[in-house]
Amino acid sequence: ASKGEGLGNKFLSHIREVDAILHVVRCFEDDNIIHVDGKIDPMRDLETINLELIFSDMEVLERRVDEPAKLMKGDKTLAGELDLLNRIHDTLADGKTARTMELTDDELAMLTDVPLLSMKPVIYVANVSEDEAAAEPTDNEGYNRLKEFAAKEKAQVIPVCAKLEAEVAELEADEKAMFLEDLGIAESGLDRLVKASYTLLGLISYLTSGEDECRAWTIKKGTKAPQAAGKIHSDFERGFIRAEIVSFEDLMSCGTIAAAKDAGLYRSEGKEYVIRKKSTAPNIDILDYINRSERKLSLDDFIDFYGGKVKKNVASISPARKVADGGSLPTLSNNYEFDDRLLTAFEDYSNRP
């Protein structure tokens, strides 16, 4: 593949586009499924693929090293980058993947535009027999050797029976649960792989719910509410004011949003709120919520959103100034000052049906 033979270029180009690699390794014996090499050897198969990635990375580095080496004559600051590239090349030449190296954050930053395949995080999937699917196959020599190798890369190994997973994928949810229970399997291999992949990439999901549907959105762990809203649509991030949130566990316990509100478990969070694992934010799509809801934003909320978007040729507005609904402009707790355009915008908003 590293030489571009057969489907090699296509194979490597696909891997370059992914954030992580799931490397499936055969760890079962079956005379009816003949291996191309005539013998089952997980470590040989693993080495074959890893060497392809290593050879490709070495070519990338050899081309990349030429650039800083030429530029170093006029810029000595490139010496650190050149040294790093050479150290990685030496590691690869020893048959080790780049991910086995201990690199600092600054060194990793230098590699952001260097597409090294063997640097990508990996999960090794041990394809085991049906008899070994219910528990960790500690008597499987191939699995144990694979696990020992993965430990050196600080990678995870997940045993999965691909044959069973294919059968499970054809079943309905209730049939799937019964099938797995009969086999003594607590959780399907696919479910375990999804969870492990999320952990590896630092991902979590949050939920939005509405009248028509409930959806899960994938975000990076530590994402704040406005950026999480941006996953739905960029307008939601720009227009974010606050999110009304209830934890998934509390919602399931209470049964309905109304019951969660009555129990005091439904809360409002602002722009600094960090979405946590297993949270559901029914109204995080705040712009859609504003447009459809019968409730109107308070003047404080409106200014919180639009205040930064109106150029402030500051002119204080009298609290006695009337707004569109015929009421008086309330005195603001934060002593806001704003120009006529902001008040006009609020009047237009108040007149929406």
Side-chain angles (χ1 to χ4, degrees):
S2 61
K3 297 179 180 179
E5 297 176 356
L7 296 176
N9 286 334
K10 191 173 184 180
F11 163 66
L12 294 177
S13 66
H14 287 170
I15 296 179
R16 293 189 197 283
E17 300 300 319
V18 303
D19 295 320
I21 297 173
L22 293 180
H23 190 156
V24 182
V25 184
R26 179 174 174 177
C27 296
F28 69 91
E29 298 278 354
D30 189 334
D31 294 336
N32 295 317
I33 305 176
I34 301 173
H35 193 285
V36 65
D37 291 322
K39 182 182 178 181
I40 307 303
D41 187 343
M43 297 312 300
R44 178 203 55 218
D45 296 345
L46 178 66
E47 182 178 325
T48 298
I49 298 299
N50 276 347
L51 284 177
E52 293 289 355
L53 305 185
I54 287 171
F55 290 149
S56 177
D57 285 351
M58 290 178 71
E59 289 185 10
V60 169
L61 289 174
E62 286 162 5
R63 292 194 299 268
R64 183 61 182 253
V65 163
D66 290 339
E67 184 178 347
K70 293 176 181 177
L71 295 175
M72 266 187 61
K73 296 177 181 178
D75 187 356
K76 298 300 182 182
T77 61
L78 295 174
E81 179 182 345
L82 182 60
D83 175 67
L84 173 61
L85 297 178
N86 284 326
R87 283 193 290 122
I88 296 175
H89 189 278
D90 290 343
T91 298
L92 297 174
D94 289 337
K96 300 176 182 177
T97 59
R99 74 177 71 91
T100 61
M101 298 181 65
E102 296 287 344
L103 300 177
T104 66
D105 290 341
D106 290 339
E107 289 173 331
L108 290 173
M110 293 182 191
L111 298 173
T112 52
D113 61 343
V114 183
L116 298 179
L117 299 175
S118 68
M119 181 66 80
K120 292 182 181 292
V122 63
I123 294 175
Y124 292 107
V125 182
N127 189 8
V128 299
S129 67
E130 296 178 68
D131 296 336
E132 299 170 314
E136 185 177 12
T138 53
D139 294 333
N140 186 314
E141 181 183 354
Y143 171 79
N144 291 331
R145 290 172 61 199
L146 177 60
K147 193 172 181 180
E148 182 180 344
F149 173 85
K152 297 176 182 177
E153 292 193 339
K154 297 180 180 178
Q156 187 175 359
V157 179
I158 298 181
V160 170
C161 177
K163 183 180 179 181
L164 281 180
E165 291 300 318
E167 295 176 8
V168 168
E170 299 295 326
L171 301 176
E172 298 294 335
D174 55 344
E175 295 175 331
K176 171 183 171 181
M178 292 177 59
F179 182 74
L180 293 175
E181 184 179 358
D182 289 343
L183 294 173
I185 300 175
E187 188 175 28
S188 75
L190 180 59
D191 288 344
R192 288 184 285 118
L193 275 177
V194 169
K195 290 180 179 179
S197 299
Y198 263 55
T199 300
L200 182 68
L201 295 173
L203 301 175
I204 61 172
S205 291
Y206 75 94
L207 306 175
T208 58
S209 66
E211 296 179 2
D212 300 328
E213 65 175 359
C214 179
R215 287 192 59 178
W217 305 89
T218 299
I219 56 175
K220 281 282 188 181
K221 189 176 181 180
T223 298
K224 292 184 179 180
Q227 289 69 50
K231 274 291 184 178
I232 304 171
H233 196 287
S234 57
D235 286 348
F236 296 163
E237 180 177 356
R238 288 194 295 269
F240 182 88
I241 298 172
R242 59 167 53 94
E244 294 179 334
I245 294 176
V246 59
S247 74
F248 180 82
E249 297 90 337
D250 289 340
L251 180 59
M252 292 298 98
S253 175
C254 295
T256 65
I257 291 290
K261 287 181 178 179
D262 291 341
L265 299 173
Y266 191 82
R267 65 192 188 281
S268 180
E269 299 285 357
K271 297 178 180 179
E272 295 303 310
Y273 177 74
V274 176
I275 301 294
R276 68 182 183 87
K277 189 176 182 181
K278 296 183 180 178
S279 285
T280 176
N283 292 323
I284 199 167
D285 48 345
I286 188 70
L287 285 188
D288 190 39
Y289 168 78
I290 291 171
N291 289 337
R292 292 186 307 182
S293 175
E294 294 181 1
R295 280 193 327 180
K296 293 290 186 180
L297 285 178
S298 70
L299 185 58
D300 281 323
D301 283 345
F302 189 85
I303 292 171
D304 185 40
F305 171 40
Y306 285 103
K309 298 180 180 297
V310 178
K311 186 176 180 181
K312 293 190 176 182
N313 297 320
V314 179
S316 182
I317 303 300
S318 167
R321 174 76 180 268
K322 301 292 184 180
V323 294
D325 62 1
S328 298
L329 181 69
T331 301
L332 303 175
S333 58
N334 293 328
N335 297 318
Y336 288 105
E337 292 183 323
F338 44 90
D339 63 17
D340 281 327
R341 285 170 296 173
L342 183 58
L343 187 60
T344 299
F346 181 68
E347 291 173 348
D348 290 341
Y349 166 75
S350 298
N351 284 325
R352 291 182 188 177

